[in-house]
Amino acid sequence: MDLCVFGVDDGYAEAIIRGLRASFLTEAQYQQMKNCASIPELKSFLEETDYQNCLQADNPQIPTSILRQRLKKKLADEFEYIEAQSTGILTKYLFHLRCRFMIDNVVNMIEGLKNKIDIEILLSNIDPLGWFPEIKNIKVLEGDDYSSLYRDVLIDTPIGVYFMKFLEESIENLHENRTLNDIQNLFREMKPEYIRTSLKKMWLEDFYSFCESELMPTSQEALLELLKFEADFKTVQVIYNSIGNRDLNTAAKIITTRKQLCPTIGNLYPDCEKVYLQAMTLDALREAVKGCDNYRDLLKDAPDPLKREEFNVQTKTLDDIMYDDECRRYALSFDGQGSYGVFYAYLKLKEQEIRNIIWLAEMISRKLAKNHPGWKKIIIPFSHLGK
Amino acid sequence: MSQQIWGNPQGWDAAEWQSDATWADRFMYIDPYFWSYFGVALALATSIIGASWGIFVTGVSLLGSTVKAPRIRSKNLISVIFCEAVAIYGVIMAIIMIGKIGPIEDIPTDQNGINLCYTYALYCGYSLFWTGVSVGLSNLICGIAVGVTGSGCAISDAQTPETFVKILVVEIFGSALGLFGVIVGIIQCSGATFPKVCPTS
């Protein structure tokens, strides 16, 4: 019965996404882009595709960073349109999707402020998908007091609840006789990647519980599977990156870091948790995930993280392998009608496309030879469907 | 006097109605004209509910897909026309059924004659009511089916133009369901004209 009443509130928004799905670049178009000899040629090619309007005002020799800003702005405008046309639960859902980009923006701003970069430059570099009105209020107060930055300013933002949880967790992990100085030092020295991964993990879990409680069964069917896979992807990534990592020198440190950063949803979570928390080599990781899905096949070809220094542009890293599988799943989620999974998949695949275009633009601007292995490093959305 | 004993086979008066009548008697006492007009309303209203449900479901998807793929505009109006046809079936049946209803000119005065007349009228009334139900319900479901398929048709046409004709076949089969309802309905109410003059035997 979902299908009979889906059209009432959400049919229009879904139909627009379907129309936008036809605007993805095909393999033939990627081939043509690879054959472009210079950036102006690439720009004029892009103007014939769906990206026509956003590049018209710039000069032909467009720098890559400006190109990225324009493409992202186009995606953000489209998404804003869809969000404006949606009602009820769909609006909440789309807003939730954007929180992920807000996290990125805020972490980037904080890092930029720590390194004393001018706030205007930071504001012009934020991802337009993650814009929210309170972002202009982020500035460091006197005395480099980061914890009060977290407490007072970020609380008002839509992602404030994640920062609160993060604060509590980090302060908890300090030793018993902690002083105010310790807390200040903690935040000053914390790595931005660590903050980012923690916050995104919390966002993912929050999003999962939102989907479980508020969406219709058709949407849940598609979305919960996608989110579980993404959580497993994050877990495997965290463990993989912590094997042989120079900063984590004791086993206890490794385990606490892993526990903090691995999401608690997904196929791997309760069953394989003990095993993967202890995994210290790639083979142990493979053993840990062998029960689930096709993860074992995915990890079969992964390069050994202990030999990290030997990686070059030719190795197919774990990230590449897992991105490939993720893109296949997102492409498959477009096959059902009446589910919210298409919004999520569209956002992810469009981001992947923008990454591809920027990668190719970089390759072209460096004028690398055509047999350089970097040309093959793009993952084309919908290529698995054989079209 | 005759109106008071219309539908009153044992010739009871008010007190006897209170003490001796069963539920079956009271059910039989419901006027045949009530049944027949109710049938007309059902046929018309539920067909139109089905057709409008179908149109709104398919119209929404059509509008959304056209924003990015304007070429599908004219072709996909066929889905809307199929849904509209379901409403037209309902209107046709309602008009046929109304043509069969009419007042009875002279009702006889003896109880036997009245009972005969009443039985014939009941036959017409029930026939028209259940015709309305069968036509109305089948058109209701048919309209929803065509509508949901039409929305899928618009969406997939925007993505892959070759699929349009194939999905149209599914819609044609869907709209045949409403046609079945109309055919059976016409046969069902064919002999059910209210008599102008009461039958005498």
Side-chain angles (χ1 to χ4, degrees):
Chain A
M1 277 312 279
D2 282 357
L3 217 50
C4 298
V5 294
F6 183 78
V8 183
D9 284 332
D10 310 322
Y12 184 64
E14 196 213 351
I16 297 184
I17 290 272
R18 298 282 173 175
L20 286 171
R21 182 236 188 269
S23 71
F24 277 93
L25 300 175
T26 60
E27 283 201 56
Q29 283 173 311
Y30 276 106
Q31 261 319 103
Q32 282 178 302
M33 277 206 287
K34 285 188 201 174
N35 291 338
C36 287
S38 60
I39 297 282
E41 233 180 279
L42 180 68
K43 177 173 184 286
S44 56
F45 177 78
L46 281 178
E47 279 175 9
E48 288 165 32
T49 64
D50 197 47
Y51 289 105
Q52 51 197 190
N53 292 332
C54 63
L55 294 175
Q56 263 165 5
D58 300 299
N59 65 3
Q61 193 64 33
I62 186 173
T64 317
S65 55
I66 304 280
L67 182 64
R68 181 194 285 124
Q69 275 299 98
R70 296 276 181 264
L71 297 180
K72 284 212 165 230
K73 187 83 182 32
K74 175 179 187 285
L75 176 59
D77 286 340
E78 276 168 2
F79 204 71
E80 200 182 317
Y81 176 70
I82 294 172
E83 212 177 326
Q85 298 293 329
S86 60
T87 77
I89 294 188
L90 186 58
T91 315
K92 278 200 269 186
Y93 172 84
L94 292 176
F95 184 74
H96 227 286
L97 276 184
R98 286 205 298 129
C99 287
R100 178 165 60 95
F101 299 96
M102 294 180 198
I103 292 177
D104 269 326
N105 281 349
V106 171
V107 173
N108 286 344
M109 296 256 321
I110 294 180
E111 272 319 292
L113 289 172
K114 262 193 212 173
N115 297 338
K116 309 274 189 268
I117 300 182
D118 186 26
I119 197 165
E120 289 304 321
I121 299 182
L122 287 175
L123 277 177
S124 66
N125 277 343
I126 59 172
D127 192 336
L129 270 169
W131 188 86
F132 54 98
E134 291 90 0
I135 201 168
K136 296 192 275 283
N137 299 340
I138 297 181
K139 50 183 179 293
V140 187
L141 310 161
E142 63 297 324
D144 283 344
D145 192 3
Y146 289 99
S147 58
S148 74
L149 167 68
Y150 281 99
R151 242 193 346 257
D152 302 327
V153 177
L154 293 173
I155 274 308
D156 293 329
T157 63
I159 46 176
V161 65
Y162 303 134
F163 275 103
M164 266 320 276
K165 267 198 264 183
F166 177 67
L167 229 106
E168 283 163 14
E169 261 184 33
S170 327
I171 293 184
E172 233 174 58
N173 282 342
L174 285 180
H175 53 85
E176 280 300 309
N177 311 330
R178 54 179 177 262
T179 64
L180 199 59
N181 244 348
D182 281 334
I183 300 183
Q184 307 279 35
N185 285 340
L186 180 70
F187 289 120
R188 195 172 320 156
E189 282 146 20
M190 189 158 323
K191 284 216 167 74
E193 281 314 309
Y194 190 86
I195 304 178
R196 206 193 296 263
T197 318
S198 270
L199 291 175
K200 286 205 176 161
K201 162 199 143 194
M202 289 181 207
W203 170 81
L204 193 62
E205 289 170 2
D206 197 27
F207 192 47
Y208 188 85
S209 63
F210 171 79
C211 289
E212 239 181 346
S213 55
E214 304 228 12
L215 298 188
M216 304 235 271
T218 329
S219 305
Q220 282 183 359
E221 202 180 310
L223 265 175
L224 295 183
E225 283 307 312
L226 284 178
L227 291 177
K228 279 194 201 165
F229 179 73
E230 186 167 340
D232 291 336
F233 180 5
K234 281 193 169 25
T235 309
V236 171
Q237 248 187 334
V238 162
I239 297 178
Y240 185 85
N241 287 338
S242 62
I243 295 178
N245 192 323
R246 272 161 290 156
D247 298 325
L248 303 170
N249 31 27
T250 63
K253 233 181 170 181
I254 292 185
I255 292 185
T256 42
T257 319
R258 284 180 182 176
K259 239 189 151 134
Q260 253 192 323
L261 296 181
C262 290
T264 55
I265 56 179
N267 295 325
L268 289 175
Y269 172 56
D271 307 329
C272 313
E273 188 191 4
K274 281 204 177 36
V275 189
Y276 68 62
L277 279 182
Q278 309 280 348
M280 294 297 171
T281 65
L282 184 60
D283 285 323
L285 180 57
R286 286 189 184 131
E287 269 302 303
V289 303
K290 75 173 175 190
C292 296
D293 228 80
N294 58 344
Y295 298 161
R296 190 178 24 162
D297 295 328
L298 288 175
L299 285 179
K300 211 168 29 163
D301 300 319
D304 197 347
L306 292 169
K307 306 201 189 82
R308 202 163 278 143
E309 288 79 34
E310 295 171 20
F311 289 179
N312 55 19
V313 84
Q314 253 167 338
T315 35
K316 204 162 192 263
T317 64
L318 180 71
D319 282 355
D320 290 333
I321 298 174
M322 298 204 98
Y323 264 138
D324 215 23
D325 203 52
E326 260 197 332
C327 279
R328 182 181 63 91
R329 283 169 200 252
Y330 293 136
L332 282 176
S333 85
F334 270 90
D335 280 348
Q337 195 185 353
S339 124
Y340 287 0
V342 288
F343 298 100
Y344 187 59
Y346 174 74
L347 210 53
K348 290 270 187 172
L349 288 174
K350 207 67 179 175
E351 273 186 290
Q352 180 64 31
E353 183 178 278
I354 292 180
R355 271 196 288 252
N356 288 347
I357 295 178
I358 301 298
W359 178 266
L360 284 178
E362 290 279 347
M363 302 284 296
I364 289 174
S365 67
R366 282 169 213 227
K367 303 214 187 312
L368 293 170
K370 293 295 179 211
N371 53 4
H372 193 274
W375 288 104
K376 296 209 196 66
K377 273 226 165 191
I378 57 178
I379 301 170
I380 301 176
F382 303 113
S383 56
H384 305 275
L385 300 179
K387 256 193 63 169
Chain B
M1 269 308 277
S2 14
Q3 277 78 19
Q4 286 175 325
I5 55 178
W6 173 254
N8 194 352
Q10 272 114 324
W12 288 335
D13 60 13
E16 278 166 328
W17 265 107
Q18 268 205 320
S19 49
D20 296 339
T22 63
W23 279 110
D25 288 321
R26 291 182 194 281
F27 194 77
M28 294 279 286
Y29 188 51
I30 297 177
D31 203 302
Y33 288 102
F34 169 80
W35 292 119
S36 50
Y37 280 118
F38 196 5
V40 171
L42 264 179
L44 187 63
T46 45
S47 307
I48 289 183
I49 289 177
S52 54
W53 194 327
I55 291 181
F56 86 62
V57 174
T58 202
V60 155
S61 299
L62 184 53
L63 282 174
S65 321
T66 314
V67 172
K68 278 292 176 179
R71 60 184 164 81
I72 69 169
R73 257 187 325 227
S74 335
K75 272 200 297 185
N76 279 275
L77 288 177
I78 289 184
S79 309
V80 180
I81 293 175
F82 273 129
C83 291
E84 183 72 21
V86 166
I88 292 179
Y89 297 157
V91 172
I92 292 175
M93 276 316 295
I95 292 177
I96 293 178
M97 294 200 305
I98 290 178
K100 304 213 181 281
I101 306 176
I104 304 180
E105 303 282 80
D106 45 302
I107 302 178
T109 44
D110 58 308
Q111 188 63 41
N112 210 15
I114 290 180
N115 286 349
L116 266 176
C117 200
Y118 189 74
T119 316
Y120 195 78
L122 259 189
Y123 157 70
C124 301
Y126 284 147
S127 169
L128 287 174
F129 176 72
W130 288 103
T131 306
V133 170
S134 58
V135 169
L137 281 184
S138 50
N139 282 344
L140 172 68
I141 301 296
C142 168
I144 298 176
V146 175
V148 173
T149 314
S151 93
C153 184
I155 284 179
S156 77
D157 191 16
Q159 195 170 303
T160 319
E162 298 89 38
T163 50
F164 176 70
V165 180
K166 309 289 162 59
I167 301 187
L168 212 56
V169 174
V170 177
E171 275 191 66
I172 292 173
F173 277 111
S175 75
L177 300 174
L179 211 51
F180 296 159
V182 171
I183 293 173
V184 170
I186 290 186
I187 299 175
Q188 216 175 344
C189 69
S190 59
T193 321
F194 274 86
K196 276 234 167 9
V197 176
C198 276
T200 43
S201 62

